[in-house]
Amino acid sequence: MDAVRRLLIPVAAVLAMVLLSTSAQAGPATRAAVDPDARPLDRTVWLCRPGLVHNPCGQDAEGMPQSAGPELVTRYPSGGTRLLDATRFTAGGSGKREPFTVTERPPVDCFHAYPTVDLLPNPPLQTGSRPPVPRDVHQAVTLMQTARFAGLCRMFVPVYRQVPLPALLAGIVAGPGADLTMATMDIRDAWDDYWAHENRDPETGERRGVVILGHSQGTAVAAALMRERVDEHPEVRRQLVVAALLGGNIEVPEGRDAGGGADPASTFQYVPACRRPAGAPLPTGCVVSYATYSLPGGSLPAVIGRTASPGHRVICVNPAALLRGEAAGARVPLDLYLPTRRLVGGTALLPNGPLSVPLNGYRLPDLPTGFARHPDALTGECAHAVDGTVSADWLQVSGDLSHFPASAPAGLTGLHAMDFDVAQGDLIALATAQTRAWLDRRNP
């Protein structure tokens, strides 16, 4: 659990600023009621699983739209549907609607661990094997971050007994650290359920490729899952297309892309960071990770992206540069997808809907589509700096920062809330290209 806490401490510090600025909404910072004898869930609670009746991610058992027509219709647990279409804006041009359609069966699967969004324990009394309940906030953050991967993947999104935001912060501030036992157990058991019952192709019987997605607390528990179930198991690693673990510190030894088998400070021993030397083919079975800031020269990130582990660095992989075959530190355009008020269920009273605390200070676009796409607004490059014993690596963004709160890009929080969104188009395009490469290598 020490490795999980190392991943989560910087995330907690970032979220502390959010909580302090929204204390009236978030409530007092009290520890969750966790039973020391908490047991595994009797069954996985899925927010999204292909074939679920009224699947919130809108997919049938094969990953095709449940609704009539090629556009994917997603659903909130409390009711109401959303499309994943976008209004595309280009420099000097007006917006144009881009529908989001699925016309072919997705060739791989996605397994997503969403970030810290619960403000109260779910269930309220976390004892025994009481199951959590899918809520609108889980769907809102899934729509915002990863739902558009549905064109590539069958989406598997478990609901887990995560450490709620106030308890997460209380555990860090008080010293002993947040108790991630149940969160890690639920994500691991959901993976085991998926691996045992869902990963084989129903037609061929072959194992399917899988993309693992995580953010914030979701990155911490997904990394723990990968250490237990993927990293030291070659037969599972072979099915990994890519892991996108954003907004948390994934550490590697200086000058290497993985621990190599005997480095306890490295997050993974065998799953490497995604690197692409000049002229090399696109790598698969690797990790993309970054934390997003826009810092003035000479500054280091306040929290995420930093490590004081001697001889180690936090990885930064720019998905846009990797996809283009550019050098790791090259500055390249980012394909920004901003969630709209409509997508997250915003109202006049709560413009950011159930994500009002995580998105505190953000003014989301008020459009009839699910996203506002700005492919020309931002550029990004992986940056590295050292200050004494601290090494820092992060995704440095520049360009039109008016889409974000003025204090966010260079602040303690950075653009943590938008880690997936600043390069969502690139992340999906990269995963799509890596899927093609993975399939080609499996079936030469």
Side-chain angles (χ1 to χ4, degrees), residues 375-391:
D376 305 315
L378 301 177
T379 59
E381 60 187 309
C382 281
H384 172 69
V386 176
D387 183 5
T389 61
V390 175
S391 167

Side-chain angles (χ1 to χ4, degrees), residues 59-65 101-109 149-154 200-204 208 435 439:
Q59 295 178 313
D60 66 15
E62 295 183 334
M64 297 296 287
T101 60
V102 178
T103 58
E104 297 181 357
R105 290 192 304 166
V108 296
D109 298 335
F149 280 82
L152 171 68
C153 300
R154 297 188 307 165
R200 289 194 182 276
D201 189 281
E203 293 186 0
T204 66
R208 291 172 63 88
T435 294
L439 291 169

Side-chain angles (χ1 to χ4, degrees), residues 85-384:
D85 53 348
T87 301
R88 174 175 177 150
F89 295 93
T90 56
S94 59
K96 179 181 179 181
R97 180 179 182 264
E98 294 181 335
F100 181 83
T101 60
V102 178
T103 58
E104 297 181 357
R105 290 192 304 166
V108 296
D109 298 335
C110 282
F111 186 92
H112 176 214
Y114 52 75
T116 309
V117 291
D118 287 337
L119 302 183
L120 296 172
N122 180 20
L125 186 62
Q126 294 188 335
T127 60
S129 57
R130 293 173 183 264
V133 177
R135 303 191 188 282
D136 283 357
V137 69
H138 308 137
Q139 177 68 349
V141 77
T142 297
L143 293 179
M144 168 183 165
Q145 293 188 335
T146 62
R148 287 179 62 94
F149 280 82
L152 171 68
C153 300
R154 297 188 307 165
M155 299 296 298
F156 292 85
V157 185
V159 181
Y160 65 104
R161 292 171 290 182
Q162 69 172 207
V163 179
L165 181 55
L168 177 69
L169 304 179
I172 299 300
V173 172
D179 183 357
L180 296 175
T181 302
M182 286 195 298
T184 302
M185 177 168 57
D186 289 355
I187 291 296
R188 179 199 63 211
D189 291 351
W191 170 270
D192 289 347
D193 184 4
Y194 159 75
W195 188 256
H197 302 112
E198 305 285 355
N199 180 260
R200 289 194 182 276
D201 189 281
E203 293 186 0
T204 66
E206 294 183 343
R207 289 283 185 188
R208 291 172 63 88
V210 61
V211 177
I212 298 177
L213 305 167
H215 183 247
S216 192
Q217 184 173 170
T219 281
V221 294
L225 154 70
M226 288 180 60
R227 279 192 296 274
E228 290 188 41
R229 297 293 195 258
V230 180
D231 193 36
E232 299 193 11
H233 300 275
E235 73 282 5
V236 183
R237 288 204 309 271
R238 282 195 292 269
Q239 306 310 122
L240 180 65
V241 177
V242 65
L245 305 179
L246 311 185
N249 289 356
I250 305 297
E251 297 192 28
V252 295
E254 183 80 35
R256 294 163 59 188
D257 291 328
D263 183 359
S266 182
T267 304
F268 304 120
Q269 300 304 312
Y270 302 106
V271 178
C274 291
R275 306 293 186 198
R276 189 180 186 184
L282 199 62
T284 61
C286 53
V287 178
V288 170
S289 185
Y290 58 82
T292 314
Y293 286 86
S294 183
L295 301 175
S299 299
L300 272 68
V303 186
I304 301 181
R306 298 165 61 101
T307 181
S309 297
H312 289 76
R313 286 176 60 170
V314 174
I315 71 171
C316 175
V317 176
N318 181 345
L322 182 66
L323 180 63
R324 291 170 171 80
E326 300 280 357
R331 179 183 296 179
V332 296
L334 300 179
D335 197 356
L336 168 68
Y337 277 78
L338 286 170
T340 64
R341 287 178 56 177
R342 172 168 175 72
L343 183 79
V344 302
T347 65
L349 182 62
L350 292 174
N352 295 341
L355 296 177
S356 292
V357 172
L359 294 181
N360 178 59
Y362 281 83
R363 298 185 63 180
L364 300 183
D366 190 5
L367 295 169
T369 55
F371 292 88
R373 183 186 181 191
H374 296 272
D376 305 315
L378 301 177
T379 59
E381 60 187 309
C382 281
H384 172 69

